[in-house]
């Protein structure tokens, strides 16, 4: 992730993921909230313009969040989903207010369960009765065919309930679960003295990690879609790498957030503004030198991260802690003379190589497929992107040619695809790339033709 000429984080022409904070108003009072306030009323006309600006920039993935987005009319939310037709759209909601009639073009709901029981969940939300309400909301969305991702916030108060939370999510039919570890920001940061255990200690995190790993193995219905959603230093436990639950939030490299005024930050919790999408396009803001100077050049990094071989992959865990710095800083878990393991880079490289081998094969028979309904191709920029329901894939020339044949020429048979691109792409490369497209959900597998003579 670092450029070769100098130590600077690499980034594409546009962010792959953008959070649009539709409002800071909320119908709960969660103790960990990262929003700066709950008093700003939504300005629908302004939000309309913000969403249109992001839509014009064709950002691959957009999360509509808050505050609480369900406080907006469903009609308005559906307008935004339609406006963002080039994007895969997720709504992040606390689940207290049911959104009936949401467009089926929505890729996913993100709904949190902060505890495996009402007492723990409602301690975090300070909203009596919210636990049962959220369970009913999740069941409703699942029954109507929506993907629902569970997104609990890990704190020092619920760290020992991760296994049971994941089990409950499986029972409810949720699609995946990604745990967000609490970090000081917004309203939550002002409550550290009252709720002194909001930040999980290293010992508490490792207990939670034990449970996440066990749950990932036990609840096979998730097919491995269990892990962490926020940035956590890879070094605080080697099992992060070994069990493939590492997480990098993408701050400044593929992620940004826009507040209800249109101000762009590279992290929801950061107070540093780099521009406003009502004044200039997001792609212009994203490529400003000021982001390089303040963040991507890594001059803010100190030890033990500065000399780490995985600096450009891990990028110091969570980089925003408003009680520590008004800019960027290394994760709280690795401050104060933390000593990382010595073999971390080798361990990481080994794991990456194992994953690459898994995607480097293909079956004996040619495959028949169709384009997944959420798949889109973005060619607005010099860099070309394939957008799936949950992932963004940057395409080189050969990959672009293959994808154009599939999407624009509507090819559905692997045999025909190989014949179409044979002058520029070798058959093994086509077949391997098709395996990867199926893996990321860009294509739906429909079956196999009769066994071919081209096997591997």
């Amino acid at each position: 992730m670092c450029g070769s000429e100098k130590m600077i984080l690499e980034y594409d022409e546009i962010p792959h993921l953008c959070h649009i904070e539709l409002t800071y108003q909320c119908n709960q009072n969660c103790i960990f909230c990262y929003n700066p306030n709950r008093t700003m009323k939504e300005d629908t006309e302004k939000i309309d313009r913000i969403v249109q600006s992001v839509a014009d920039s064709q950002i691959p993935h957009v999360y509509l969040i808050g505050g609480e987005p369900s406080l907006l009319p469903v009609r308005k939310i559906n307008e935004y989903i339609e406006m963002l037709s080039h994007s895969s759209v997720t709504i992040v909601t606390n689940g207290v207010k049911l959104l009936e009639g949401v467009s089926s073009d929505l890729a996913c709901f993100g709904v949190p369960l902060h505890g495996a029981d009402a007492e723990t969940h409602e301690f975090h939300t300070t909203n009596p009765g919210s636990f049962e309400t959220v369970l009913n909301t999740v069941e409703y969305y699942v029954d109507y065919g929506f993907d629902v991702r569970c997104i609990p916030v890990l704190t020092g108060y619920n760290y020992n309930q991760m296994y049971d939370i994941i089990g409950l999510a499986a029972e409810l039919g949720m699609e995946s679960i990604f745990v967000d570890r609490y970090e000081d920001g917004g309203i939550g940061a002002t409550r550290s003295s009252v709720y002194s255990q909001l930040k999980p200690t290293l010992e508490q995190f490792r207990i939670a990690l034990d449970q996440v790993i066990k749950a990932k193995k036990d609840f096979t219905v998730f097919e491995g879609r269990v892990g962490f959603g926020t940035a956590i230093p890879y070094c605080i436990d080697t099992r992060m790498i070994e069990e493939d639950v590492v997480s990098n939030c993408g701050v400044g490299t593929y992620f940004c957030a826009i507040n209800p005024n249109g101000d762009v930050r590279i992290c929801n919790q950061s107070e540093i503004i780099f521009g406003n999408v009502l004044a200039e396009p997001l792609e212009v803001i994203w490529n400003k030198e000021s982001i390089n100077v303040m963040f991507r050049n890594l001059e803010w990094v100190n030890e033990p991260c500065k000399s780490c071989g995985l600096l450009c992959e891990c990028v110091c865990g969570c980089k925003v802690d408003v009680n520590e710095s008004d800019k960027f800083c290394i994760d709280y878990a690795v401050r104060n003379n933390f000593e990382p393991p010595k073999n971390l880079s080798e361990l990481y490289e080994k794991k990456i190589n194992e994953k690459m081998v898994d995607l480097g094969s293909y079956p004996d028979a040619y495959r028949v497929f169709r384009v997944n309904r959420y798949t889109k191709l973005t060619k607005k920029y010099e860099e070309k992107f394939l957008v799936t329901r949950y992932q963004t894939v940057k395409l080189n020339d050969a990959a672009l040619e293959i994808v154009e044949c599939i999407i624009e020429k509507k090819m559905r048979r692997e045999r025909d695809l190989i014949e179409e691109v044979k002058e520029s792409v070798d058959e093994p490369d086509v077949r391997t790339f098709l395996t990867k497209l199926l893996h990321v959900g860009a294509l739906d597998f429909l079956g196999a033709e009769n066994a071919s003579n081209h096997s591997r």
Side-chain angles (χ1 to χ4, degrees):
M1 285 180 60
C2 282
S4 57
E5 295 183 4
K6 58 181 179 179
M7 186 68 78
I8 185 169
L9 293 172
E10 293 181 342
Y11 58 99
D12 292 331
E13 289 181 79
I14 54 173
H16 297 180
L17 170 61
C18 175
H19 285 188
I20 303 178
E21 297 163 342
L22 300 178
T23 177
Y24 281 151
Q25 288 188 305
C26 191
N27 49 7
Q28 289 198 143
N29 187 27
C30 297
I31 62 175
F32 50 74
C33 182
Y34 75 84
N35 285 164
N37 63 73
R38 295 196 182 94
T39 59
M40 181 189 295
K41 294 184 178 180
E42 68 266 15
D43 181 337
T44 303
E45 186 274 334
K46 182 179 288 186
I47 294 297
D48 288 350
R49 291 164 54 211
I50 291 170
V51 174
Q52 186 60 62
S53 178
V54 174
D56 291 343
S57 295
Q58 297 185 15
I59 303 304
H61 292 86
V62 175
Y63 283 17
L64 303 178
I65 66 173
E68 179 47 46
S70 67
L71 298 181
L72 276 69
V74 172
R75 169 188 55 80
K76 180 57 66 176
I77 289 176
N78 284 342
E79 284 181 17
Y80 294 155
I81 295 171
E82 184 176 356
M83 289 166 65
L84 294 161
S85 60
H86 288 281
S87 306
S88 176
V89 180
T90 291
I91 294 175
V92 178
T93 170
N94 59 32
V96 172
K97 183 180 178 183
L98 185 65
L99 285 168
E100 296 184 79
V102 169
S103 169
S104 61
D105 290 331
L106 180 74
C108 182
F109 280 105
V111 183
L113 296 171
H114 300 304
D117 53 63
E119 180 181 2
T120 306
H121 179 85
E122 292 166 15
F123 171 81
H124 288 82
T125 66
T126 68
N127 183 8
S130 59
F131 182 69
E132 191 65 30
T133 300
V134 171
L135 297 185
N136 292 334
T137 296
V138 170
E139 289 178 341
Y140 176 90
Y141 292 151
V142 171
D143 286 346
Y144 273 81
F146 288 104
D147 271 10
V148 185
R149 173 173 295 169
C150 186
I151 47 172
V153 173
L154 168 63
T155 72
Y157 298 103
N158 66 0
Y159 67 93
N160 59 350
Q161 289 196 13
M162 290 302 111
Y163 185 88
D164 291 337
I165 290 173
I166 296 170
L168 178 56
E171 182 181 331
L172 291 168
M174 301 180 87
E175 175 268 342
S176 60
I177 178 162
F178 289 93
V179 179
D180 294 341
R181 186 193 56 163
Y182 172 80
E183 185 74 41
D184 277 342
I187 296 171
T190 67
R191 294 173 169 171
S192 295
S193 59
V194 178
Y195 298 100
S196 58
Q197 297 180 52
L198 271 174
K199 275 186 178 178
T201 65
L202 183 55
E203 180 181 357
Q204 290 171 339
F205 174 78
R206 285 174 172 161
I207 292 172
L209 178 61
D210 285 339
Q211 297 191 8
V212 168
I213 291 170
K214 178 173 171 49
K216 183 178 181 181
K217 295 175 180 177
D218 289 352
F219 299 110
T220 55
V221 65
F222 290 123
E223 298 180 342
R225 297 185 298 271
V226 176
F228 294 94
T230 48
I232 299 170
Y234 297 2
C235 62
I236 62 175
D237 195 304
T238 57
R239 292 173 301 166
M240 294 283 293
I241 295 174
E242 293 164 345
E243 301 295 338
D244 196 23
V245 291
V246 294
S247 175
N248 185 331
C249 61
V251 163
T253 57
Y254 62 81
F255 169 76
C256 71
I258 302 173
N259 72 15
N261 284 324
D263 297 324
V264 176
R265 300 103 68 219
I266 57 174
C267 172
N268 303 79
Q269 297 190 165
S270 175
E271 299 173 356
I272 303 171
I273 296 169
F274 291 100
N276 189 293
V277 294
L278 299 181
E280 52 190 341
L282 182 54
E283 61 268 27
V284 172
I285 299 170
W286 182 251
N287 288 280
K288 283 185 175 181
E289 183 62 20
S290 57
I291 303 180
N292 293 340
V293 170
M294 188 169 291
F295 177 73
R296 293 181 184 132
N297 66 9
L298 300 174
E299 290 184 3
W300 52 272
V301 178
N302 52 26
E303 296 296 352
C305 300
K306 190 172 184 177
S307 58
C308 177
L310 293 181
L311 170 59
C312 294
E313 282 70 36
C314 171
V315 198
C316 313
C318 185
K319 294 152 274 289
V320 177
D321 182 341
V322 299
N323 284 338
E324 174 71 16
S325 171
D326 60 355
K327 294 183 175 64
F328 301 100
C329 59
I330 67 172
D331 193 285
Y332 76 90
V334 295
R335 299 176 204 150
N336 303 320
N337 301 315
F338 178 85
E339 293 189 15
K342 301 295 184 184
N343 64 335
L344 208 63
S345 295
E346 293 81 1
L347 191 64
Y348 181 78
E349 184 176 355
K350 178 182 177 183
K351 192 66 179 180
I352 291 296
N353 289 337
E354 289 174 358
K355 293 168 70 174
M356 292 298 292
V357 169
D358 291 342
L359 294 177
S361 60
Y362 45 80
D364 291 346
Y366 288 126
R367 291 162 285 190
V368 182
F369 50 84
R370 68 184 175 199
V371 179
N372 183 271
R373 65 185 295 258
Y374 294 99
T375 299
K376 312 166 198 296
L377 177 59
T378 298
K379 299 196 289 184
K380 177 182 174 71
Y381 302 95
E382 183 176 344
E383 296 172 331
K384 314 303 179 188
F385 301 98
L386 180 69
V387 182
T388 75
R389 193 173 193 168
Y390 298 119
Q391 297 193 43
T392 304
V393 181
K394 186 161 70 170
L395 304 173
N396 60 24
D397 290 342
L400 177 62
E401 182 180 2
I402 294 171
V403 169
E404 286 177 331
C405 287
I406 294 172
I407 293 179
E408 297 175 359
K409 296 184 179 181
K410 302 185 184 306
M411 290 192 168
R412 299 294 178 262
R413 296 181 180 275
E414 187 173 17
R415 188 191 303 270
D416 296 338
L417 182 62
I418 292 167
E419 179 66 23
E420 181 71 16
V421 301
K422 65 181 181 181
E423 297 299 324
S424 53
V425 188
D426 293 336
E427 178 173 332
D429 293 333
V430 176
R431 303 205 70 195
T432 299
F433 184 62
L434 193 65
T435 295
K436 294 176 181 178
L437 292 180
L438 289 163
H439 176 75
V440 300
L443 304 176
D444 299 329
F445 177 67
L446 299 182
E449 295 187 41
N450 294 330
S452 74
N453 294 323
H454 303 277
S455 62
R456 178 178 173 181

